Amino acid sequence: MAHFETESIRTQSRTNEREHSAPIFLTSSFTFDSAEEARATFADETPGNIYSRYANPNSSELIEKVCQAEGTEDGVATASGMAAMFGSIASLLQQGDHVLAARSLFGSTHQLLTRVFPKWGITSTYGDISDYQNWEKLLHPNTKMLFLETPSNPGLEIIDLEWAGKFAAAHNLILVVDNCFATPYLQQPAKWGAHIVTHSATKYIDGQGRVLGGLILGKKELIKEVQFFTRHTGPAISPFNAWMLSKSMETLAVRMDRHCESASKIASYFEGKSGINEVKYPFLKSHPQHHLAKKQMSQGGGIVTLNLEGGISRAQRFIDQLQMISITANLGDSRSIITHPASTTHSKLTEEEREKVGIHPGLIRLSVGLEHPEDIVKDVERALERSK
Ligand SMILES: *Cc1c(COP(=O)(O)O)cnc(C)c1O
């Protein structure tokens, strides 16, 4: 296999038109030459496209690229990251099963586990990463899955993937890792024993804030179950979005290098500055799991958090003084983005739940974009000054 970026650029099928760049297959279904060919394709005896809810050349190309990047065998592309989170759990578990999850999760994933799945008798328990020795006590006889997100959104907690892989193997659990923040360019959970890797492709894989998409990747026998579920429940990605995301994979490596380089500079610059209680970035030495980040990630990622002195009102005044950086809920965009998790993405959690995962009232999440890092620093610095 060639290098990461080469594979991400050169993985492409070509039609008889001999196009250089992959076309968009905007078609809901595919034709057969005969009744017999239709029968054999439906029976899985011959490979071939049937219907875009099942598979489409654009989604297949995207899946192939991301599987190569993650070191996974097969996958499914979905309409959004949440469809991937939902599909990975719903397809592999059934009524009466239990999920053990790390407490720091994306807001909607938390809603899934605490409000959606219990309706169908799938329950969950949260564990704290400061407390690995006690996770065995959190297992129930019906625990089937270990669900993690690392680095976590927005607290940037790092979970030890080597520990998780061993724990899952020892207790016969399906290990699912949401690899959205790191992307396969920085971290490959399958290497550490993850059976399923999920993505919100909306974030760094798109990288320019244009389309939604999700991925569920993993071992063939598990993906077969996921495919059965998604084919018949219908969270299929649009061919247009899959085409967009496959194109974006071509630039993932260069974009991530720049995101990481700038984020690292910005984190170091603001660390210790007055008015900021804490700057968190996985590759800063002061990060509580710095050694783990270094072990399992090749770079620190593109997200930095600043915990501002003065709580919610200061955080909001700070945001209102920004001139360039966008106020929006997305991340992983070419444009730098600021979010105040306590009043937006994680507002549905109670204050106590937020504190447990490090979402302090003054916490600001900065998704460092691809603008010149000096311009990002300037905007943040001016807003800090003016919001004192
Ligand atoms: C955004 C996000 C999701 C959800 O993805 P969508 O594409 O918005 O549905 C899931 N997990 C993490 C970590 C995310 O950041």
Side-chain angles (χ1 to χ4, degrees):
M1 228 174 90
H3 290 88
F4 184 100
E5 49 272 56
T6 311
E7 292 289 345
S8 300
I9 291 167
R10 288 286 166 182
T11 299
Q12 183 187 326
S13 52
R14 200 158 272 158
T15 73
N16 291 335
E17 300 294 342
R18 304 184 56 79
E19 70 282 354
H20 188 210
S21 175
I24 309 175
F25 291 87
L26 275 180
T27 175
S28 23
S29 68
F30 299 84
T31 56
F32 306 102
D33 285 339
S34 65
E36 168 51 22
E37 194 190 353
R39 185 207 62 78
T41 313
F42 268 86
D44 261 342
E45 289 168 18
T46 50
N49 291 309
I50 296 174
Y51 191 62
S52 288
R53 170 152 48 76
Y54 284 33
N56 169 286
N58 294 118
S59 62
S60 300
E61 185 186 281
L62 171 66
I63 291 163
E64 191 184 343
K65 278 188 190 182
V66 190
C67 273
Q68 270 166 355
E70 287 284 4
T72 49
E73 293 171 3
D74 204 356
V76 169
T78 56
S80 71
M82 283 323 297
M85 305 305 143
F86 178 76
S88 65
I89 300 170
S91 61
L92 298 173
L93 298 186
Q94 58 186 21
Q95 186 189 17
D97 287 345
H98 174 256
V99 182
L100 177 55
R103 189 182 302 281
S104 300
L105 292 176
F106 182 66
S108 292
T109 311
H110 169 74
Q111 300 297 336
L112 270 189
L113 290 177
T114 55
R115 310 256 305 266
V116 178
F117 282 114
K119 293 206 287 189
W120 301 309
I122 296 173
T123 55
S124 59
T125 303
Y126 286 144
D128 290 299
I129 63 160
S130 51
D131 202 25
Y132 290 135
Q133 348 30 300
N134 286 320
W135 278 50
E136 242 164 78
K137 293 187 196 133
L138 304 176
L139 290 170
H140 296 194
N142 56 341
T143 308
K144 295 279 165 58
M145 182 178 278
L146 178 60
F147 192 103
L148 314 171
E149 189 181 307
T150 181
S152 68
N153 180 3
L156 297 177
E157 284 184 359
I158 309 290
I159 294 168
D160 187 344
L161 288 174
E162 184 180 11
W163 167 82
K166 287 181 178 159
F167 186 87
H171 300 288
N172 208 14
L173 308 175
I174 300 169
L175 173 57
V176 181
V177 179
D178 180 347
N179 201 27
C180 170
F181 264 39
T183 81
Y185 185 57
L186 306 183
Q187 166 177 284
Q188 290 119 18
K191 265 200 214 154
W192 303 102
H195 304 97
I196 295 283
V197 178
T198 57
H199 277 285
S200 165
T202 313
K203 312 294 169 54
Y204 287 105
I205 292 181
D206 174 83
Q208 289 157 79
R210 300 164 299 187
V211 300
L212 297 177
L215 289 148
I216 308 171
L217 312 159
K219 296 214 180 298
K220 245 193 167 77
E221 73 263 22
L222 291 175
I223 293 300
K224 256 193 141 96
E225 294 290 319
V226 178
Q227 274 165 348
F228 173 81
F229 179 86
T230 54
R231 284 176 176 188
H232 302 295
T233 56
I237 192 169
S238 130
F240 178 80
N241 288 8
W243 172 83
M244 200 83 145
L245 294 167
S246 183
K247 288 273 140 217
S248 295
M249 278 299 291
E250 297 183 16
T251 55
L252 181 67
V254 284
R255 286 186 285 109
M256 288 314 289
D257 281 339
R258 177 66 177 263
H259 280 299
C260 295
E261 190 193 328
S262 294
S264 176
K265 275 187 195 155
I266 289 166
S268 305
Y269 181 82
F270 286 104
E271 188 168 42
K273 283 254 185 308
S274 79
I276 306 176
N277 286 329
E278 188 192 14
V279 175
K280 213 167 172 195
Y281 182 67
F283 269 32
L284 274 186
K285 282 212 174 65
S286 56
H287 187 290
Q289 296 99 35
H290 173 247
H291 64 289
L292 274 181
K294 285 269 181 181
K295 176 174 133 191
Q296 63 198 35
M297 296 168 72
S298 59
Q299 299 181 70
I303 309 286
V304 178
T305 63
L306 309 174
N307 184 16
L308 302 188
E309 268 170 20
I312 289 198
S313 71
R314 171 71 195 286
Q316 291 182 329
R317 269 184 288 133
F318 165 78
I319 288 175
D320 288 340
Q321 290 298 333
L322 292 166
Q323 290 183 1
M324 176 186 77
I325 300 174
S326 317
I327 310 169
T328 178
N330 197 27
L331 62 92
D333 198 303
S334 53
R335 288 152 289 192
S336 292
I337 288 170
I338 214 103
T339 310
H340 181 236
S343 65
T344 59
T345 52
H346 289 68
S347 59
K348 301 279 183 334
L349 276 67
T350 64
E351 184 149 4
E352 193 193 349
E353 284 173 331
R354 280 198 295 270
E355 276 301 325
K356 275 192 180 164
V357 291
I359 304 174
H360 311 297
L363 188 84
I364 293 288
R365 184 186 75 193
L366 172 62
S367 170
V368 176
L370 302 178
E371 304 96 340
H372 197 289
E374 283 170 16
D375 295 324
I376 305 170
V377 165
K378 203 193 261 174
D379 201 23
V380 171
E381 199 152 49
R382 184 175 40 214
L384 279 172
E385 188 60 38
R386 291 183 181 174
S387 60
K388 266 186 183 156

